[in-house]
């Protein structure tokens, strides 16, 4: 956190589907949120869903626990909570979600022929669409290696990936900043008057980067 990293909830016990019920999800999310708030000195009402699973009941439990946003995935997820862009979820009392799961794990890298090409394609598609893009790896441990032959290979592949990203001018938020931006965007209302002029009532949240709307081929600051 001192180095600018984002810290979010990942539940208390990493259960399937947040525990399988509305009450269990509310308890898992609420206890994790409180634990982090006590140690960080501030509330961090964001989460990444265990196993990327989000049933309707679980999502309602997250909203009741006071979360503002969560990250889902593109596998093992309920189709109601898969998003092309981050936004307000159905049945979630204003809860915001971002669907992302670009897993830069060793087994994925090896199946792709020891190539980052599929990751480059995923990134360039998001970049062209002006979308948020996140990729994920895990540190190796005694429990999981995630398919890497060793820490040297893992670091070398990530260095290659970062070298590719260096060729682009990017906003690089941590996860709490990215979700805060999504919450602010989702809470903003854009209007078009009779003269074709855009106006906006912006949602609460961080001011970086400033919001803009795409309209008739151009970007308009809000």
């Amino acid at each position: 956190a001192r180095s600018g990293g984002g810290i979010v909830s990942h539940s208390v016990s990493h259960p399937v589907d947040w525990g399988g019920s509305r009450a269990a999800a509310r308890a898992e999310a609420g206890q994790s949120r409180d634990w982090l708030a006590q140690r960080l000195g501030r509330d961090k009402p964001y989460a990444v869903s265990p196993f990327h699973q989000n049933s309707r009941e679980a999502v309602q439990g997250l909203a009741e626990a006071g979360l503002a946003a969560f990250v889902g995935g593109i596998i093992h997820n309920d189709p109601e909570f898969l998003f092309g862009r981050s936004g307000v979820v159905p049945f979630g009392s204003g809860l915001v979600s971002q669907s992302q799961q670009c897993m830069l794990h060793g087994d994925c890298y090896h199946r792709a022929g020891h190539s980052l090409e599929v990751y480059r394609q995923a990134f360039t598609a998001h970049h062209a669409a002006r979308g948020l893009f996140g990729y994920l790896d895990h540190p190796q441990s005694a429990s999981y290696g995630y398919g890497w032959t060793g820490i040297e290979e893992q670091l070398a592949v990530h260095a290659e990936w970062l070298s590719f990203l260096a060729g682009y001018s990017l906003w690089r938020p941590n996860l709490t900043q990215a979700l805060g931006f999504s919450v602010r965007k989702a809470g903003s209302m854009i209007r078009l008057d009779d003269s074709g002029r855009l106006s906006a009532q912006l949602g609460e949240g961080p001011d970086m980067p400033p919001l803009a709307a795409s309209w008739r081929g151009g970007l308009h600051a809000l």
Side-chain angles (χ1 to χ4, degrees):
R2 287 191 298 269
S3 299
I7 298 177
V8 304
S9 168
H10 197 39
S11 77
V12 174
S13 60
H14 206 275
V16 172
D17 191 25
W18 285 96
S21 71
R22 190 168 180 167
R26 182 171 60 247
E28 286 279 341
Q31 291 172 24
S32 177
R33 180 206 62 211
D34 293 344
W35 190 94
L36 289 171
Q38 291 169 7
R39 285 154 179 81
L40 294 173
R42 59 190 184 279
D43 197 10
K44 287 288 187 183
Y46 306 135
V48 173
S49 296
F51 301 110
H52 320 287
Q53 295 175 327
N54 302 284
S55 66
R56 183 187 301 189
E57 292 76 15
V59 169
Q60 290 171 336
L62 302 187
E64 291 172 355
L67 267 65
F70 70 93
V71 173
I74 59 174
I75 63 170
H76 299 308
N77 204 349
D78 192 300
E80 292 172 323
F81 303 108
L82 290 175
F83 291 81
R85 290 186 180 273
S86 61
V88 177
V89 304
F91 320 114
S93 303
L95 193 62
V96 170
S97 185
Q98 161 86 7
S99 297
Q100 63 182 46
Q101 188 194 25
C102 192
M103 310 293 281
L104 185 45
H105 288 168
D107 50 358
C108 303
Y109 173 74
H110 296 151
R111 283 199 300 269
H114 293 73
S115 169
L116 290 173
E117 180 57 28
V118 66
Y119 298 97
R120 288 191 285 265
Q121 291 177 12
F123 168 80
T124 53
H126 278 77
H127 188 262
R130 296 192 177 99
L132 287 171
F133 177 85
Y135 75 98
L136 173 67
D137 193 11
H138 292 75
Q140 296 184 47
S141 69
S143 301
Y144 295 102
Y146 295 97
W148 296 108
T149 59
I151 188 66
E152 295 79 10
E153 180 190 49
Q154 185 181 27
L155 292 175
V157 171
H158 280 274
E160 180 184 352
W161 174 245
L162 291 173
S163 178
F164 164 73
L165 293 181
Y168 293 83
S169 176
L170 303 171
W171 177 48
R172 300 192 184 193
N174 63 41
L175 186 53
T176 55
Q177 291 170 331
L179 290 174
F181 173 79
S182 293
V183 168
R184 186 174 191 234
K185 177 173 69 75
S188 299
M189 299 294 293
I190 301 175
R191 295 177 177 83
L192 185 69
D193 64 22
D194 294 337
S195 67
R197 183 175 54 189
L198 290 173
S199 63
Q201 179 179 349
L202 301 182
E204 296 182 0
D207 293 330
M208 56 176 194
L211 295 178
S214 178
W215 171 248
R216 291 183 174 177
L219 283 177
H220 302 264
L222 300 177

